[in-house]
Amino acid sequence: AVNLAGEASLCQLRAVSTCATCVVANDSGVMHLAAALGAQGVAIFGSTDPVATGPIGGRWIVLQETLECSPCFARTCARREDAAYACLKGIGVSAVLQAITALGDGL
C-alpha cells in the first residue's frame, strides 16, 4: 500500500492510478480520475451522495454509513461533538479491507 494523500501531482496520480491494483479514495477528484482511467477501487462517501457523484468507470465498491442526516452535502458536520462525522467514522478499516478483498476476488 502507498499513501499519496496530499503528496502527488495530478500527473503522478494519473500514472499511479493506471498501474494500481486498487485505489481507495473518498468522494474526490482522485476517485473520479482513477475511475475515468478505468482503475478499480473502494470509494468512501460521507456527506455526499454516491448516486449523484459516484465513480463512473472501472469497478468500484462504494462504502457509506447511512444516517438520518445523510447525505447532507455539508463541508462541516452539524451534529453534536460526540456524534460528529458519524457518517465517516462508521466506516471502519475492516469494511475497507473487505471491499479491497472483494475486488481482488474479481480479478
Side-chain angles (χ1 to χ4, degrees):
V2 177
N3 181 356
L4 298 176
E7 301 295 325
S9 70
L10 188 57
C11 288
Q12 290 168 327
L13 286 172
R14 183 177 139 278
V16 170
S17 294
T18 58
C19 298
T21 303
C22 180
V23 175
V24 177
N26 66 324
D27 180 16
S28 65
V30 172
M31 177 199 70
H32 292 292
L33 175 65
L37 292 169
Q40 68 175 5
V42 179
I44 300 171
F45 277 75
S47 64
T48 54
D49 181 4
V51 173
T53 62
I56 299 173
R59 187 168 157 242
W60 287 74
I61 294 176
V62 172
L63 300 179
Q64 182 180 38
E65 185 73 13
T66 304
L67 302 172
E68 67 280 352
C69 57
S70 66
C72 69
F73 296 98
R75 292 189 180 268
T76 305
C77 186
R79 294 177 65 132
R80 293 185 327 268
E81 188 174 315
D82 63 328
Y85 300 102
C87 59
L88 290 172
K89 291 178 182 176
I91 301 170
V93 173
S94 61
V96 176
L97 291 174
Q98 285 177 342
I100 292 169
T101 301
L103 284 171
D105 289 345
L107 295 176

